[in-house]
Amino acid sequence: AQKVTQAQTEISVVEKEDVTLDCVYETRDTTYYLFWYKQPPSGELVFLIRRNSFDEQNEISGRYSWNFQKSTSSFNFTITASQVVDSAVYFCALRSGGSNYKLTFGKGTLLTVNP
Amino acid sequence: DTAVSQTPKYLVTQMGNDKSIKCEQNLGHDTMYWYKQDSKKFLKIMFSYNNKELIINETVPNRFSPKSPDKAHLNLHINSLELGDSAVYFCASSQDLSDAYTFGSGTRLTVV
């Protein structure tokens, strides 16, 4: 069985602050894939990043960065210099063979960036 | 062109009715999915089809029946709608086992 835990239900920051969204996952498979999705108030689900279990390199894309650590089974997401448009629900998700490769989501973290 | 399109976007109906939600993808993906997002934003898989074959069928009431006429379409039919069926239903597709899902824009179903 696989599981994704996003312990932070809601986070509120002021614009330009840095914020980190935590994600901890559980799987017995050695090959798996981790994802982050964004769901803005308009409701669509927007893909942000995919990471496979063999690639622990951190990734940076503009103000977004991701820290993948297999030793702690974590895949955390940091937004630098947050902006109001970053306000959304962010989901961490996992795919692995042990669960027929279905995408299992965490419960999401609601990020509110205040001006 | 929309990659994964769902219709309708909103659906309001009375308890006991039967309704369908349609989904089409033009990405050439082999696998399609239905997810349910409840009022607390929790996303849970319902069904998955690969090349018209059912491969995932989670614990879903048998009032819900998916139908895939071809690999580009996956429709969801719901019989005898109940209040608890009110949710946002998302269709998605992916190319292979490691691929990210591409989601449709969702169908907000309200049962009154």
Side-chain angles (χ1 to χ4, degrees), chain A residues 37 39 50 95 100 103, chain B residues 35 37 55 58 98-99 101:
Chain A
Y37 281 82
Q39 188 174 39
R50 182 191 78 173
R95 290 186 86 174
N100 208 7
L103 192 62
Chain B
Y35 274 76
Q37 185 172 43
I55 56 172
E58 294 289 292
S98 67
D99 197 17
Y101 289 13

